[in-house]
Amino acid sequence: MPKKNFIDDLISRMTVEEKAAQMLQVPVSVVGMDEARKWARLGVGSFLNVLGEDMEELARICAEESRLKIPTIFGIDAVHGHCLNKDATIFPSQLAMACSWNKDLVRKIAKITATEVATEGIQWTFSPILCLARDPRWGRTNETFGEDKFLSGELGAAMIKGYQGEDLSDDTAVLACAKHFIAYGEATGGRDSYDTEITMRKVRDEFLPPFKKAVDAGVATFMTAYGSLDGVPLTANEKALRGLLREELGFDGFVVTDWDTVNALINRQKVCADHKEASRVAAKSGNDMIMATLEFYKAVIDQVKKGKLDESYLDEAVKHILTIKLRLNLWEKPLKKGIPGSIGCRSHLNAAVEAARESVVLLKNNGVLPVRKGKKIRRIAVIGPNADDIRAQYGDWTYFTHPVPGIEKEPQRPYVTILEGMRDIADHKGIEIRYSYGCSVNRREYYKGNFESIPAFMEQCYIDNSRKTDTYKEMPFINEAASLARECDLIVLAIGDNYNQAGEYNDRAELRPSGMQEALVRVLSTLHIPMITVVVASKPLVLTDIVEKSDAVICAFNGGMFGGQAVAEAIFGKINPQGRLPISFPVVTGQVPVYYNQLPGWHEGRYVDCTEEPLFAFGEGLSYTWYEYSDLKFNKRTKTVSVTVTNNGKRRGVETVQVYVNDVVSSVMTAVKNLAGFERVELDAGESKTVKIKLEDEAFSVVLPDETRVIEPGQFEIFAGHSSKDEDLLKVTVTL
Ligand code: NOJ
């Protein structure tokens, strides 16, 4: 039978019940295997959160025991490596990977992840996130590529190509999932799943572009967002799912809801009275597969049988799903084969080292770095809650945070924490490393020791009386760290957040480092010993005081297995840091939003008690060399920027040339500048290169109130340079 008719023929033989089952995705981690087997016999479309023999059994039941023998698909959140499997390679978080600004690297990591996922048999990862993190209070900031639509779109497209390869039927290709559609990260107050108070014009202008790039890259699936857009839940949002996604972007894969969002229409967002209505609304709005709302099955059958929902909605959804299943060649190979032995293999681990290195961002250096022999360093104090905590280094979405039944939750080797990385290198250099925990990240994990011997100066150093009890409890730890540091020539302090301050349900109202971390910094700074602060965190934290008190600051976000090694290599100068921030850091929490591409305002855009400048801006990042820009030109015909970059330092380095555009006068207000292109360039000491970057037409466009995107003729400022900060950019003005 020709493939073209295969699916139509299959659909014509499916009962309403089988179509409803095909539209369902069953969470095995929740229902257990007994119930999962029943669903498999009904011919359920997909399962999630199951591995190993259980998965093989469910695949076999669907493919051999269900009436029509339609193979099922298994999905998993392999969002920074196949991280729910303890043996797999764990890469830096998406936010940390974004610091590389390296499309080739992101694609390579995605290919490796796909290979490991496929070797498990699984055909689908729920990645990448293309939401923008413009309010870092949002718990899922770590899962994004940062705050910018262009960078997110470029890296997202690379990731999708890495996951999906050339052909979905390849043994190492898995389906990617562009999520969460749409504007999910912009939820009011950074509160996960809340309403997004923006207009469709803004959606198109600011949040649609990365998803458009995902469709252009051929992404096979989309996931809806938990939240709502101007009061309309995304799972019930026909305008977004059918209008924007299908009609406008031309998406031809299938759409899965996020977890239990059909139930949320009833009991959370309260736009539907019961499961019958919610199932009808979900099907009509353009969802093809329903994740985890098992009530959908009976309810949707009821609605079709009562004539309340046209069966064609089910046909359409099932067709989308089966078409992708056919492209995966599931009828011949119900499970992927991958490459046996590839999970966590040496070459994959090497890529994790490379990714960790590229995710390190040097934010401040008064000359203390890199640590070299001649600097008379004999003893280094490594201090802090995140110096030796692999869970904090991994962040969200690993087998600790999202355990799949049967998987060990304890950290599995190989990995290198900062303490271990420092020891490895220091040993070779004859430098002694001493370690002290310092204090906890979470106030929940107090030191349980003896609270009697708190020196008076410790008590004074933390002035917040409301937290006095906590202060007392952690003082002995801080005291111990200070005593240890006094005997050392250098302090490497690792602070930040940890995995239970990131992810769903874990938004933060306060971005200052939690617990006693600021007190720890304050105490250590009174010792007048050079201090390098390393931030291991899921998001930008408020580091204003800490930066001032530190001689150097390194941002490492969640660096994955070898995050600690990369940090140590940067400290000792074995690598030249080259990461650039994909997100801005606020001076105080109340300064949020602080993303770089805001609309221009009057009155300087600042608060009376705070500057308008962020603490660190989008695109920033130092290295052990420095670059000079010259000769910026723009070719109007080819829309190509050309600029010369010279490495004026003494070390080879990689500079990320950033190009921004500002529409000088437009009929609707446009951002002060928008990233429009970037290119990494490797330069030896003293070397110059001319970099050419072709800009897309969209860089010069504006979305009008009627929601159309147009290019308005006139003047444009074109900037090129080292970061989004004006002082780092050269400018030419052109008329187009
Ligand atoms: C909910 C999350 O929002 C989504 O990103 C994830 O892919 C699904 N759960 C499946 O675990």
Side-chain angles (χ1 to χ4, degrees), residues 245-284:
L245 183 55
R246 293 274 176 204
E247 282 161 32
E248 258 185 76
L249 298 191
F251 174 62
D252 64 357
F254 72 82
V255 175
V256 63
T257 70
D258 200 348
W259 185 280
D260 212 15
T261 53
V262 174
N263 250 326
L265 297 179
I266 310 161
N267 53 32
R268 301 281 183 166
Q269 292 159 321
K270 305 193 183 216
V271 294
C272 294
D274 53 25
H275 285 113
K276 291 176 183 165
E277 187 185 358
S279 301
R280 200 172 64 229
V281 166
K284 278 190 170 171

Side-chain angles (χ1 to χ4, degrees), residues 371-557:
V371 172
R372 285 210 202 89
K373 260 193 178 160
K375 289 192 178 171
K376 297 210 180 84
I377 306 284
R378 286 160 300 142
R379 215 174 280 141
I380 300 177
V382 176
I383 296 173
N386 284 353
D388 196 29
D389 182 345
I390 192 60
R391 287 180 166 90
Q393 190 171 305
Y394 281 178
D396 201 15
W397 288 112
T398 69
Y399 55 94
F400 316 132
T401 56
H402 292 77
V404 172
I407 295 285
E408 179 62 63
K409 268 182 80 175
E410 283 312 300
Q412 306 290 310
R413 295 282 176 183
Y415 60 77
V416 182
T417 64
I418 293 173
L419 176 63
E420 292 166 340
M422 290 295 294
R423 278 198 178 127
D424 284 349
I425 302 179
D427 274 359
H428 288 106
K429 294 186 180 287
I431 296 174
E432 186 190 341
I433 298 288
R434 294 203 178 170
Y435 167 66
S436 180
Y437 181 62
C439 69
S440 63
V441 163
N442 286 322
R443 270 175 268 141
R444 270 182 247 157
E445 299 168 2
Y446 298 128
Y447 175 58
K448 296 189 186 68
N450 166 17
F451 308 131
E452 301 306 312
S453 58
I454 302 163
F457 89 90
M458 291 290 180
E459 198 180 335
Q460 286 156 12
C461 80
Y462 200 70
I463 0 140
D464 181 352
N465 278 327
S466 63
R467 289 200 239 146
K468 204 162 183 182
T469 332
D470 306 343
T471 315
Y472 279 125
K473 285 181 182 170
E474 293 227 307
M475 276 309 173
F477 258 174
I478 295 182
N479 191 13
E480 185 187 301
S483 312
L484 178 133
R486 254 186 227 109
E487 291 165 13
C488 296
D489 310 303
L490 180 73
I491 299 169
V492 172
L493 173 66
I495 55 151
D497 64 12
N498 80 22
Y499 62 93
N500 51 35
Q501 292 172 315
E504 293 174 53
Y505 295 96
N506 291 330
D507 313 314
R508 291 181 63 178
E510 174 58 79
L511 292 170
R512 285 166 61 185
S514 57
M516 297 294 291
Q517 297 185 88
E518 289 183 337
L520 175 65
V521 175
R522 246 177 272 170
V523 170
L524 294 177
S525 72
T526 62
L527 305 177
H528 303 294
I529 299 167
M531 181 157 74
I532 300 158
T533 300
V534 183
V535 184
V536 175
S538 62
K539 57 174 59 183
L541 295 175
V542 166
L543 302 171
T544 313
D545 275 357
I546 293 174
V547 170
E548 195 209 299
K549 291 185 167 53
S550 306
D551 296 279
V553 176
I554 293 174
C555 169
F557 287 129

Side-chain angles (χ1 to χ4, degrees), residues 48 77 126 140 179-180 223 226 258-259 291 397 504:
L48 79 159
D77 290 279
F126 306 127
R140 304 189 73 174
K179 68 185 190 184
H180 307 82
M223 189 185 291
Y226 280 136
D258 200 348
W259 185 280
M291 183 191 289
W397 288 112
E504 293 174 53

